[in-house]
Amino acid sequence: MHRSRDLPDCHYHNAPTLIPPETPTPHHSLYLSNLDDQKFLRFSIKYVHVYKCCVSAEKLRSSLSKALVHYYPLAGRLKVSEEKEEKLEVECNGEGALFVEAFMDFTADEVLEASRWPNVSWRKLLYRVDAQSFLGVPPLVVQVTKLRCGGMILCTGINHCLCDGIGSSQFLHAWAHLTSKPDQDLPLHPIHARHVLIPRNPPITDFPHPQYTTANEAFDLNQILRSQPLIPVSLTFTASDILHLKQLCVPSLKCTSFEALAAHTWRCWVRSLGPPSSMKIKLLFSANIRKLMDPEIAEGYYGNGFVLACAESRADELVDANVQHGVRLVQKAKEALSEEYVRSMVDYLEENRVRPDLTATLVISQWSRLGLEELDFGVGRAALCGPAFE
């Protein structure tokens, strides 16, 4: 196995600065839905974009201040609601996003080579805010790292309680648009209000939600995993690989690339761990619910518009069967989603401030349709985009 290469240290010549909206914005508290402020979403989504050409920090600061006029909650601060314990909301006060400039003695090509293997040194690409809790971290943190070759790395940390993957990509595209086309209006304007997902009164939980309930109290598979000397790896499935997986299902079963890859990964994960044959194993994956609602959640909504779909199987049944079995379970989990199911989950979370059950669970998140690879700040698309390795 190849040894991953550490990124060199970032050199900070200036102190971090706060970038407020360019013009005054509304001051109020923004309600967060029960899908927004779940305990397992209380972190920042970290995106890395590597460009072989550079945009000036001054231009990025200026366009960011313009973008924050439209997305002003990202310039606010998270706080605990005064009305309900553990409930979060956003104090829209225009305090600003944190912006940091750095230099790294590395080239874009060297970054691309290093990206072939996950490495915790990538954490240094986003400035670490000294805060007692995640509430003390601004919802938006940006670090622009200039490279020796004249390129740059743009790393953004966006609080997951304010945006899901679709929403954060929507914001990043708005910022890129205002950078490269400052005289043009945004093609898509944000929708801030989250009341479309407000719980019913009284709450009604009329569906089971196994995502949040533990079926294996006596056996914690993830605890066993954490006790092992694990090495992070990055695997690439080519179009040919995915086509092969899908062909294993035809003609009796048609499936998407995601369904085939999710089922295959889940099955291999269970096989490698070798849990007890009767153990119930779960697969959780994010599912967009914007079009499930009636009326549909309008385009421009950048809050969390997803739920965790849940596929379940006995370990031996998943491993011993062919990939079709896993695909059918993934499809069944998707088919179970409806507006009524989403309403039930929102109500369930109103009464139960719980985290997903991870005792014997693989969690998969799909980024392939977020459009992150199309982000262009006026110097072309990124040579690399993806998550900051943790």
Side-chain angles (χ1 to χ4, degrees):
M1 179 177 292
H2 292 280
R3 180 181 176 85
S4 62
R5 181 179 181 184
D6 288 352
L7 296 182
D9 289 340
C10 294
H11 300 281
Y12 300 98
H13 300 298
N14 301 305
T17 58
L18 288 174
I19 308 296
E22 184 181 51
T23 58
T25 54
H27 280 223
H28 63 92
S29 292
L30 176 66
Y31 169 82
L32 294 177
S33 80
N34 289 343
L35 299 185
D36 285 320
D37 74 340
Q38 297 184 69
K39 289 187 176 181
F40 83 100
L41 294 184
R42 298 184 179 187
F43 67 95
S44 293
I45 313 173
K46 301 176 180 67
Y47 299 108
V48 173
H49 285 80
V50 180
Y51 294 91
K52 294 195 172 184
C53 296
C54 191
V55 182
S56 73
E58 181 180 356
K59 188 173 184 178
L60 289 171
R61 283 195 299 266
S62 175
S63 59
L64 178 58
S65 70
K66 291 179 171 64
L68 289 174
V69 173
H70 300 276
Y71 290 83
Y72 64 88
L74 289 173
R77 294 295 182 267
L78 279 165
K79 69 174 186 177
V80 178
S81 171
E82 297 177 358
E83 299 179 1
K84 186 173 183 179
E85 186 180 1
E86 295 190 336
K87 184 70 182 170
L88 299 182
E89 59 187 34
V90 183
E91 183 64 29
C92 300
N93 55 18
E95 190 170 339
L98 192 70
F99 189 94
V100 187
E101 298 176 63
F103 173 78
M104 178 180 288
D105 189 15
F106 224 41
T107 67
D109 287 337
E110 288 174 317
V111 175
L112 295 179
E113 177 65 21
S115 72
R116 295 172 61 188
W117 304 278
N119 190 301
V120 295
S121 69
W122 285 64
R123 293 176 180 175
K124 66 184 66 177
L125 293 176
L126 188 67
Y127 182 81
R128 190 174 184 86
V129 179
D130 186 14
Q132 293 184 343
S133 76
F134 91 109
L135 292 177
V137 179
L140 175 60
V141 178
V142 176
Q143 178 172 319
V144 180
T145 304
K146 303 293 178 67
L147 300 172
R148 185 177 70 238
C149 63
M152 70 173 184
I153 303 174
L154 177 66
C155 191
T156 51
I158 304 176
N159 193 290
H160 210 327
C161 290
L162 274 75
C163 307
D164 61 6
I166 292 174
S168 54
S169 177
Q170 179 182 310
F171 163 74
L172 290 172
H173 276 277
W175 180 20
H177 179 89
L178 292 171
T179 305
S180 60
K181 303 171 183 175
D183 298 326
Q184 295 184 18
D185 193 17
L186 290 181
L188 180 63
H189 287 271
I191 296 174
H192 306 294
R194 314 294 169 96
H195 288 82
V196 65
L197 293 172
I198 198 166
R200 293 169 289 193
N201 188 15
I204 305 171
T205 303
D206 41 16
F207 287 85
H209 297 289
Q211 303 91 329
Y212 302 100
T213 56
T214 301
N216 306 284
E217 294 184 3
F219 195 97
D220 188 339
L221 201 57
N222 272 285
Q223 186 64 40
I224 295 174
L225 270 175
R226 288 190 290 269
S227 68
Q228 304 299 315
L230 301 176
I231 299 174
V233 296
S234 177
L235 301 176
T236 299
F237 287 83
T238 65
S240 177
D241 294 330
I242 295 174
L243 178 60
H244 174 70
L245 289 175
K246 294 172 73 173
Q247 287 175 336
L248 295 176
C249 297
V250 297
S252 59
L253 183 66
K254 292 184 178 181
C255 64
T256 66
S257 297
F258 172 78
E259 291 164 354
L261 187 55
H264 175 68
T265 304
W266 186 27
R267 182 169 176 247
C268 292
W269 181 76
V270 175
R271 178 185 291 169
S272 68
L273 295 175
S277 60
S278 61
M279 188 174 186
K280 181 172 285 188
I281 306 293
K282 298 177 186 177
L283 171 70
L284 302 184
F285 57 93
S286 56
N288 184 8
I289 54 95
R290 286 166 170 80
K291 293 185 181 299
L292 290 179
M293 312 308 288
D294 186 16
E296 293 181 0
I297 296 178
E299 191 177 11
Y301 183 87
Y302 64 95
N304 286 280
F306 79 96
V307 297
L308 290 175
C310 179
E312 297 179 279
S313 175
R314 277 176 49 120
D316 56 351
E317 292 175 353
L318 182 65
V319 171
D320 294 342
N322 55 32
V323 71
Q324 286 188 27
H325 175 70
V327 168
R328 286 192 178 96
L329 293 175
V330 172
Q331 291 177 340
K332 181 181 177 181
K334 292 169 68 175
E335 291 165 0
L337 302 180
S338 63
E339 179 180 18
E340 293 75 18
Y341 185 91
V342 174
R343 295 291 179 196
S344 175
M345 180 175 286
V346 170
D347 290 358
Y348 177 82
L349 293 171
E350 179 70 7
E351 298 184 307
N352 303 274
R353 310 300 294 180
V354 291
R355 298 175 184 269
D357 167 40
L358 299 179
T359 55
T361 306
L362 176 66
V363 183
I364 293 179
S365 183
Q366 182 181 17
W367 283 25
S368 62
R369 298 192 178 185
L370 298 181
L372 293 169
E373 70 282 356
E374 300 170 0
L375 205 62
D376 183 356
F377 285 84
V379 291
R381 294 185 178 186
L384 171 73
C385 72
F389 300 126
E390 290 291 345

